[in-house]
């Protein structure tokens, strides 16, 4: 009889707990959400994350607070989300370099890009571009390859830093074409562009968002973009594929993720809100102005891209012998 009472009490308590959890999910969100941006303010990752936070606040009826937690190429902020409570109130602005390149770049990464996160959805692709200073004799990727091979010391190209997506893209370009290029890492794409403008370096591989104003005013030359399609903000600039480099597509993607084991109804609600932003005319226009091509889709599709890029980038990093600094 006592055992029956104990079992009845246990079942009742379990029912209450399940009902409470279900109500919390249905009532989500009922307090502010924190979006961890694992980089310093000012870059395209930060600006896109802050825009998405503002828009999600309107869609969800609760404030989404952008919180910069930089360090270790994005590893510190990402680890904070990986170890957070999986209740939908701590989210990550995921970045291609952090989640798909860092595991090959660092000897030890404090999270598993696949097991420790629940993908919510991809925001979009930040299109990358190769630009040259106006003294550079070449105009096309074929010129870049030819000129580099004539110089025994190699042709220098700058990027935002060692191991970032532009650096990996540059190394893949070398591996595919035999171009004799020498990587020059900077502390940010802005510094690289300043040296390009000053004529101190011939080429820079960077985001369209940063280079666009200088190309538009004729202060530097656009060579090619490494996206699948031409950039809407630079429709006259050819892609790498159009320039003769087969199957070459590398972008800097950004997206939203939650800690692993976040309930599926919460993930579904966040994904729906994100896609509404990405599909809206205002959302599309704003992201395109940042050089980001919006990519609405499912959590599963975003998760598959993370897995695929982990596999794709690992041999490039290994062949180029790139390690974290």
């Amino acid at each position: 009889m006592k055992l029956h009472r104990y079992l009845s009490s246990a079942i009742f308590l379990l029912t209450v707990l399940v009902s409470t959890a279900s109500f919390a999910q249905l009532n989500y969100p009922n307090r502010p959400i924190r979006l961890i941006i694992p980089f310093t303010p000012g870059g395209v990752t930060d600006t896109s994350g802050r825009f998405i936070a503002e828009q999600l606040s309107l869609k969800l009826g609760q404030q989404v607070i952008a919180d910069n937690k930089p360090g270790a190429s994005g590893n510190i902020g990402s680890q904070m989300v990986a170890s957070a409570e999986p209740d939908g109130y701590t989210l990550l602005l995921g970045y291609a370099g952090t989640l798909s390149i860092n595991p090959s770049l660092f000897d030890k990464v404090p999270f598993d890009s696949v097991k420790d996160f629940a993908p919510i959805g991809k925001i979009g692709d930040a299109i990358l571009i190769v630009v040259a200073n106006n003294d550079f004799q070449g105009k096309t990727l074929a010129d870049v390859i030819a000129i580099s091979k004539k110089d025994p010391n190699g042709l220098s190209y700058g990027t935002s830093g060692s191991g970032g997506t532009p650096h990996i893209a540059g190394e893949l370009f070398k591996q595919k074409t035999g171009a004799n290029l020498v990587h020059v890492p900077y502390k940010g794409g802005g510094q690289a562009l300043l040296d390009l403008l000053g004529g101190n370096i011939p080429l820079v591989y960077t985001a369209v968002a940063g280079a666009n104003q200088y190309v538009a005013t004729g202060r530097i030359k656009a060579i090619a973009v490494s996206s699948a399609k031409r950039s809407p903000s630079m429709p006259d600039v050819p892609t790498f594929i159009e320039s003769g480099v087969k199957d070459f597509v590398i972008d800097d993607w950004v997206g939203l993720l939650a800690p692993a084991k976040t309930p599926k109804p919460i993930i579904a609600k966040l994904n729906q809100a994100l896609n509404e932003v990405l599909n809206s005319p205002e959302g599309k226009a704003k992201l395109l102005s940042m050089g980001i091509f919006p990519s609405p889709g499912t959590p599963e599709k975003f998760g598959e891209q993370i897995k695929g890029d982990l596999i794709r980038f690992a041999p490039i990093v290994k062949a180029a012998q790139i390690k974290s600094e």
Side-chain angles (χ1 to χ4, degrees):
M1 196 70 178
K2 287 183 179 180
L3 178 60
H4 178 73
R5 284 202 299 271
Y6 288 145
L7 286 173
S8 297
S9 298
I11 291 170
F12 174 75
L13 180 60
L14 181 61
T15 302
V16 170
L17 289 172
V18 170
S19 298
T20 302
S22 298
F23 177 77
Q25 291 175 30
L26 290 172
N27 199 36
Y28 172 85
N30 56 24
R31 55 187 170 89
I33 299 167
R34 185 166 65 143
L35 174 61
I36 299 294
I37 300 174
F39 297 98
T40 55
V44 67
T45 309
D46 174 68
T47 53
S48 62
R50 289 182 178 277
F51 171 69
I52 292 299
E54 292 170 2
Q55 295 300 303
L56 288 181
S57 297
L58 298 174
K59 296 290 182 184
L60 297 171
Q62 284 287 345
Q63 187 178 11
V64 180
I65 303 166
D67 189 1
N68 295 87
K69 296 293 181 183
S73 298
N75 287 349
I76 291 175
S78 300
Q79 194 274 332
M80 289 177 65
V81 178
S83 59
E85 189 73 22
D87 55 9
Y89 291 98
T90 304
L91 308 179
L92 174 67
L93 187 78
Y95 167 63
T98 303
L99 297 179
S100 293
I101 297 175
N102 281 7
S104 298
L105 197 64
F106 287 78
D107 291 330
K108 188 176 181 181
V109 175
F111 55 81
D112 186 300
S113 298
V114 176
K115 295 180 181 179
D116 290 341
F117 298 102
I120 294 168
K122 184 175 171 181
I123 295 170
D125 295 303
I127 297 173
L128 298 177
I129 187 171
V130 172
V131 287
N133 68 45
N134 285 333
D135 292 331
F136 183 66
Q137 296 300 309
K139 294 182 180 180
T140 66
L141 275 186
D143 293 336
V144 169
I145 296 168
I147 291 170
S148 75
K149 289 181 177 180
K150 291 177 182 178
D151 190 340
N153 296 318
L155 183 63
S156 297
Y157 76 100
T159 72
S160 55
S162 182
T165 314
H167 181 198
I168 301 304
E171 293 301 323
L172 180 61
F173 178 53
K174 287 169 59 178
Q175 293 169 19
K176 277 182 167 284
T177 65
N180 185 19
L181 299 177
V182 179
H183 179 240
V184 180
Y186 286 81
K187 292 182 179 179
Q191 290 187 9
L193 284 169
L194 285 176
D195 252 14
L196 186 75
L197 288 164
N200 298 318
I201 193 166
L203 301 171
V204 165
Y205 209 146
T206 189
V208 161
N212 198 8
Q213 59 178 317
Y214 303 117
V215 172
T217 54
R219 298 181 66 188
I220 58 177
K221 295 187 290 189
I223 302 296
V225 293
S226 56
S227 48
K229 299 179 181 179
R230 296 191 180 197
S231 170
S233 61
M234 294 185 179
D236 296 331
V237 181
T239 66
F240 272 53
I241 294 174
E242 289 174 323
S243 301
V245 186
K246 293 182 179 180
D247 304 321
F248 195 103
V249 177
I250 293 187
D251 296 306
D252 248 356
W253 54 254
V254 286
L256 290 184
L257 301 99
K261 299 182 181 179
T262 298
K264 289 185 177 181
I266 291 176
I267 296 295
K269 188 166 188 176
L270 289 168
N271 175 262
Q272 180 181 350
L274 175 62
N275 283 338
E276 287 177 5
V277 174
L278 301 180
N279 283 315
S280 70
E282 299 82 6
K284 287 180 181 179
K286 183 66 174 179
L287 289 168
L288 286 171
S289 74
M290 298 178 189
I292 296 177
F293 198 85
S295 303
T298 64
E300 292 76 17
K301 185 178 180 181
F302 182 35
E304 287 304 314
Q305 176 159 11
I306 295 171
K307 293 176 186 177
D309 282 352
L310 277 165
I311 296 169
R312 182 163 72 118
F313 290 139
I316 302 171
V317 173
K318 184 177 181 180
Q321 298 181 332
I322 305 169
K323 299 300 292 183
S324 62
E325 295 180 343

